[in-house]
Amino acid sequence: MRCSERTRILVSKATGVVVLLAGFMLAARLCFGAAVDSSRSPNIFKPESTPADSIFNLSLFVLTITGLIFLVVFSLIVYSIVKYRGREGGDHSEPPQVYGSNQVELAWTVIPVLIVLVLFLATARVIQSVQDAPEPSTAMRVTAVGHQFWWEFRYPTLGIVTANELHVPVSDPSHPTPTFLTLLSADTDHSFWVPRLAGKTDLIPNHPNRMWIDPQQPGVYLGQCAQYCGTQHAKMLLRVYVEPRVAFDRWIRDQRQVAVATDAASEGRVAFETGPCLACHQVEGIAGNGQYGPNLTHLMSRDTIASGAALNTTENLRRWIRNPDSIKPGAKMPALGLSARQIEAVTAYLETLR
C-alpha cells in the first residue's frame, strides 16, 4: 500500500515537471520564431517600431533573468526531491536545523534586492525613453479619438478626418518621420494598442494622453482597444496602414477631395440627406455636421466597416444599414427601419463615396 502511494506521488510530481517544461518551451517558441499570421491577429513578437522594439527587448531581458531564477529554483527542488526522497529502511528523523546564519540571511536578502533593482532600472530607462522622446519638426501629428465602439482619426495640419484605419508614412531611419498621436476619449475609457508598433496607452475622458510610433516597414498593422469599454469592446478593432511617402501623399490628395455622387445614386443621396443619417454622420459637401458616428466622406476607400468587424463589401454594407446588430451586436447605430428600396438606394449612394 505504501509503495503504490509513493508511486502515485512520484507520477504526480513527474507530470507537474513535464507540464512546467512544456509551458516554458511553448513560451520560448512563441518568442523565438513561432509562425504567427499577422493578418489574423496582432503579433507582439515582431516589433516594427522603436517603442515596440524597446518594450520587446526589455521583455526578453526580464524573461532571461526570471528564466534563470526559475532554472536555479527548479534544479534545487529536483535535487532535493531526488536526494532526500523517502527510502525503505532510511532514517526518517528530522534533519539538523540551522538558525541564525548571517551569511544565508544576507544572501537571500541582498540577491533578490539586487535583482529587483536591476529590473526596476531597466524598466525605468525604457519608460523614460518612450515617454519623453522629443518630437522632431518632421513628425506627423494625428489625434485619435476613441468612441463606443470605433476610432476617429484627425490630421489637424492636413485637414483630414477618417475612421478606424490610420494611415501613416514609413519612417526611414535616414529621414525619420515618426507619428505622434494625441489620444482623446469621447465617452469612456479606451486603450490604443497596436502591438507591433507601440505599447498600450489609455484614452481617458477629459485627460489628453500621447504616444508615438515610427514604423520602418510598409504594411498593415493590426490592433484594437485593450480596455473594456462596453458591449462591443472586443470588436473595436483598428488598422494602421504604413505606406511609402509617395503612396501616403497620394492618399492625402484623395482624402482631401470632396465626394461626388453620380446621377444614378441621386435617390440614395436624397434619402441620406433627408433621413436621420446626417444626425450622426458627416459627408463633406453635404449640409450636416454629425459627430456621433464616423465621417463617411471617403467610406469606400476603407477596407472594413464597423471598426473592422466586417469587410467593406456591398453585401456587408447593405446588412449594416438594414440591421447593424447582425454584424456587431450592441453597436450604437440603430436599425432605422428603412424599406428594401431605401436600403438599396442608400447603399448605392454610399458606394460612390470614394
Side-chain angles (χ1 to χ4, degrees), residues 20-317:
L20 284 174
L21 288 176
F24 184 77
M25 294 176 65
L26 176 60
R29 175 171 170 76
L30 288 173
C31 288
F32 300 106
V36 178
D37 187 353
S38 60
S39 67
R40 293 177 179 268
S41 61
N43 186 350
I44 64 176
F45 299 112
K46 294 183 179 180
E48 292 291 352
S49 179
T50 300
D53 190 60
S54 298
I55 294 170
F56 180 66
N57 290 333
L58 174 63
S59 68
L60 291 183
F61 177 69
V62 173
L63 181 62
T64 300
I65 291 180
T66 54
L68 290 174
I69 294 172
F70 169 80
L71 290 176
V72 170
V73 174
F74 181 78
S75 300
L76 290 174
I77 291 175
V78 172
Y79 172 79
S80 300
I81 291 173
V82 174
K83 183 173 178 59
Y84 300 105
R85 68 186 185 278
R87 296 181 176 89
E88 289 291 343
D91 183 7
H92 297 289
S93 61
E94 185 176 355
Q97 302 298 302
V98 179
Y99 296 100
S101 173
N102 292 334
Q103 291 83 358
V104 172
E105 292 179 2
L106 282 173
W108 69 38
T109 300
V110 173
I111 293 176
V113 167
L114 290 177
I115 293 173
V116 171
L117 180 62
V118 169
L119 295 177
F120 169 77
L121 292 176
T123 303
R125 176 178 172 275
V126 170
I127 292 175
Q128 190 275 334
S129 66
V130 172
Q131 296 280 0
D132 297 333
E135 182 177 337
S137 58
T138 57
M140 177 67 59
R141 296 178 181 85
V142 179
T143 299
V145 185
H147 299 259
Q148 290 179 310
F149 302 94
W150 59 281
W151 299 95
E152 178 182 5
F153 297 115
R154 306 170 185 166
Y155 297 74
T157 59
L158 302 176
I160 294 172
V161 178
T162 186
N164 301 320
E165 298 178 359
L166 174 64
H167 289 251
V168 300
V170 168
S171 183
D172 187 340
S174 60
H175 298 87
T177 311
T179 299
F180 279 72
L181 295 100
T182 299
L183 305 178
L184 308 174
S185 174
D187 34 53
T188 187
D189 293 355
H190 301 282
S191 188
F192 191 98
W193 187 41
V194 185
R196 297 185 68 184
L197 301 182
K200 301 175 186 177
T201 306
D202 289 341
L203 295 78
I204 309 297
N206 302 316
H207 182 78
N209 214 339
R210 66 190 293 270
M211 64 178 293
W212 64 282
I213 57 176
D214 63 340
Q216 297 164 11
Q217 292 293 333
V220 180
Y221 299 90
L222 306 182
Q224 72 173 86
C225 177
Q227 175 72 29
Y228 182 74
C229 57
T231 307
Q232 276 306 311
H233 154 74
K235 290 187 177 180
M236 188 172 169
L237 312 175
L238 66 96
R239 296 178 176 218
V240 178
Y241 290 75
V242 179
E243 300 167 322
R245 191 72 209 196
V246 173
F248 179 71
D249 290 340
R250 186 188 313 117
W251 179 82
I252 292 174
R253 289 194 299 271
D254 292 342
Q255 293 295 308
R256 284 175 169 171
Q257 301 298 317
V258 176
V260 178
T262 63
D263 292 339
S266 59
E267 181 181 352
R269 174 168 178 164
V270 171
F272 186 90
E273 290 180 332
T274 58
C277 302
L278 287 179
C280 295
H281 298 285
Q282 183 178 3
V283 175
E284 298 296 333
I286 294 180
N289 192 33
Q291 301 294 324
Y292 194 71
N295 187 302
L296 301 180
T297 304
H298 298 286
L299 170 66
M300 299 310 295
S301 68
R302 302 166 194 164
D303 291 335
T304 62
I305 59 174
S307 192
L311 294 176
N312 192 1
T313 65
T314 300
E315 179 57 32
N316 285 338
L317 194 58

Side-chain angles (χ1 to χ4, degrees), residues 317-348:
L317 194 58
R318 189 182 295 115
R319 284 179 58 203
W320 180 253
I321 296 170
R322 182 187 303 113
N323 180 19
D325 274 8
S326 66
I327 293 178
K328 197 169 183 176
K332 296 295 184 178
M333 178 174 167
L336 301 176
L338 301 178
S339 66
R341 176 168 179 168
Q342 288 175 314
I343 291 174
E344 291 297 327
V346 172
T347 301

